Amino acid sequence: MLAIERKNQILEILQKDKRVLVSDLSQAFEVTEETIRRDLEKLEKEGFAKKTYGGAILNESVNVDLPYTVRKKANVSNKEYIADIICSMIEDGDHIMMDASSTAVYAAKRLKYKKNITLITNSIEILLELSDMAGWKVLSTGGMLKEGSLSLVGYQAEKMLENYHVDKAVISCKGLDMERGITDSNEMEAQIKKLMLASAGTRILAADSTKFDRISFTRIGGLQNLDYLITDKEPVEKWKQVFEKTGINLKYE
């Protein structure tokens, strides 16, 4: 196993269990404890973990941008639940935009029985997933490949999005706060999401329950920039009141 593969698998374990022990990882990967300590040091330097005596704990900061290969394996059941709701809102013939979130990838997989869809995305995985869809138009934003992800960002991607208007845009976020609105951990990703919302007649945010009452690094927009909020379970009453006040349609079932 390559060192990068082992490090990503350790990060997946951290995402699931929130903490790891050097001795356990050493046995599991059949490498020395010193090798595992070096892996944990690298994860700490990259901001993903915090070393502790005999192991490490997960850095749960909303400003940490996890590798896509790790993100797509986290909270899978919640993402699939949300993806099913998104799919129910897309109609044959729709023009849509989807960001490069792992939730959007799950939604794209469920859209394959729809007909005559035009889809614009900055997600390389969505482009690959839908590459054989007969009767569809699948457009790439182009742009620069963001390190550690399968997303395209930057000036070219932004200019492409500014030239189109679609029926619906589907984005995700890292944090959702009553005062600060919709936030994300990366400025370039946030700009893509902002432009997608601005280009759509119906603006959809997919945010599982862990995103509520959290603020990440950079702002995508206010709650007033949304038409629908799709989540995995019923929000608390104060959030339901906020959605009603701002005219956001809430979907969780």
Side-chain angles (χ1 to χ4, degrees), residues 16 40 44 53 59 67 95 108 110 117 119 130 141 161 176 181 200 216 218-219:
K16 179 182 177 183
L40 295 180
E44 185 174 50
Y53 182 77
N59 181 4
H95 291 63
R110 283 160 168 70
I117 296 292
L119 187 145
L130 302 178
T141 61
L161 291 172
L176 192 62
S216 195
T218 187
R219 195 167 188 260

Side-chain angles (χ1 to χ4, degrees), residues 65-99:
D65 203 7
L66 292 170
Y68 179 80
T69 54
V70 175
R71 284 190 286 119
K72 73 177 183 179
K73 296 179 182 179
N75 301 321
V76 171
S77 60
N78 292 348
K79 291 172 183 177
E80 290 177 336
Y81 184 88
I82 291 172
D84 286 335
I85 299 175
I86 292 171
C87 188
S88 71
M89 298 174 65
I90 305 299
E91 300 175 357
D92 291 345
D94 269 351
H95 291 63
I96 59 179
M97 288 181 180
M98 284 186 168
D99 69 4

Side-chain angles (χ1 to χ4, degrees), residues 21-84:
L21 293 175
V22 170
S23 56
D24 291 344
L25 295 175
S26 175
Q27 292 180 20
F29 291 103
E30 298 182 342
V31 295
T32 66
E33 292 191 359
E34 185 58 33
T35 297
I36 295 298
R37 290 191 187 96
R38 286 198 294 268
D39 290 338
L40 295 180
E41 286 174 2
K42 291 176 182 177
L43 288 172
E44 185 174 50
K45 287 179 180 178
E46 292 168 358
F48 300 135
K50 296 178 182 179
K51 287 185 67 180
T52 60
Y53 182 77
I57 60 174
L58 178 69
N59 181 4
E60 298 191 74
S61 169
V62 292
N63 294 322
V64 174
D65 203 7
L66 292 170
Y68 179 80
T69 54
V70 175
R71 284 190 286 119
K72 73 177 183 179
K73 296 179 182 179
N75 301 321
V76 171
S77 60
N78 292 348
K79 291 172 183 177
E80 290 177 336
Y81 184 88
I82 291 172
D84 286 335

Side-chain angles (χ1 to χ4, degrees), residues 168-186:
K168 296 161 184 145
V170 180
I171 71 160
S172 67
C173 67
K174 289 289 181 65
L176 192 62
D177 181 76
M178 292 181 187
E179 298 297 328
R180 294 296 299 160
I182 316 156
T183 55
D184 206 79
S185 60
N186 182 275

Side-chain angles (χ1 to χ4, degrees), residues 71 100 122-124 144-147 149-153 189:
R71 284 190 286 119
N122 69 320
S123 166
I124 292 176
M144 176 180 68
L145 179 64
K146 178 173 166 284
E147 183 180 357
S149 75
L150 291 176
S151 64
L152 299 167
V153 296
E189 292 274 16

